């Protein structure tokens, strides 16, 4: 089982290589695997998808 990430942890998005910070975690009260709301770092912001929900396998620690 993959270890869970923590709130405000810096991560890299696997598909794009972009980095960001986890600003929210939703696990439906512990009934579902967590998903992570990541705010991209300023250098990757475009105004369209600066905040994105990602699953555990879509991010990695940096």
């Amino acid at each position: 089982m993959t270890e869970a990430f923590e709130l405000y942890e810096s991560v890299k998005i696997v598909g794009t290589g972009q980095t960001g910070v986890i600003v929210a975690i939703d696990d439906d009260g512990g009934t579902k695997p967590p998903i992570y709301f990541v705010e991209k770092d300023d250098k990757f912001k475009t105004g369209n998808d600066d905040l994105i929900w990602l699953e555990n396998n879509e991010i990695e620690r940096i």
Side-chain angles (χ1 to χ4, degrees):
M1 181 176 171
T2 305
E3 186 178 334
F5 294 91
E6 300 291 327
L7 193 59
Y8 305 117
E9 186 171 353
S10 293
V11 295
K12 180 170 74 170
I13 301 169
V14 174
T16 64
Q18 297 173 329
T19 55
V21 175
I22 297 171
V23 295
I25 301 172
D26 182 16
D27 64 0
D28 200 20
T31 62
K32 295 182 180 176
I35 57 173
Y36 303 94
F37 201 43
V38 175
E39 180 178 5
K40 293 180 183 178
D41 290 337
D42 287 343
K43 65 182 177 181
F44 298 112
K45 289 184 177 180
T46 63
N48 294 327
D49 61 352
D50 300 339
L51 296 162
I52 185 170
W53 284 105
L54 297 164
E55 295 182 10
N56 202 335
N57 64 341
E58 297 176 300
I59 55 178
E60 59 186 32
R61 287 184 170 79
I62 55 172

